[in-house]
Amino acid sequence: VITSVDGLLWSPVVLAPGAALQAITWGSRFVAVAADGSALLSDDGQSWRRVATGATVPLVGVAFGLGRYLAPGADGALVSAR
């Protein structure tokens, strides 16, 4: 992940070591999902924290709508959170 405050200068951000990110979205905060079934959360795009989702399969996408995050995973898994 890289961030910029002005769209001209960009800086890389280290999320979680070993996190194989699959997708990222913005709702009320940034949410990224990883191949190990975990999620990473950030309010500012700079500081991230890893959280367990309960998924035991890779999460392959994430979307935000109507105040809810949805993350589809392998084998038909679906994780939902506000």
Side-chain angles (χ1 to χ4, degrees), residues 19-64:
L21 296 184
Q22 302 297 307
I24 188 169
T25 193
W26 167 261
S28 56
R29 66 174 60 171
F30 290 102
V31 175
V33 294
D36 66 0
S38 67
L40 293 98
L41 310 176
S42 175
D43 293 321
D44 61 7
Q46 297 289 323
S47 301
W48 293 81
R49 65 185 174 94
R50 191 177 221 156
V51 296
T53 65
T56 58
V57 296
L59 297 175
V60 297
V62 63
F64 180 81

Side-chain angles (χ1 to χ4, degrees), residues 7-19:
L8 298 173
L9 299 174
W10 293 84
S11 301
V13 176
V14 176
L15 301 182

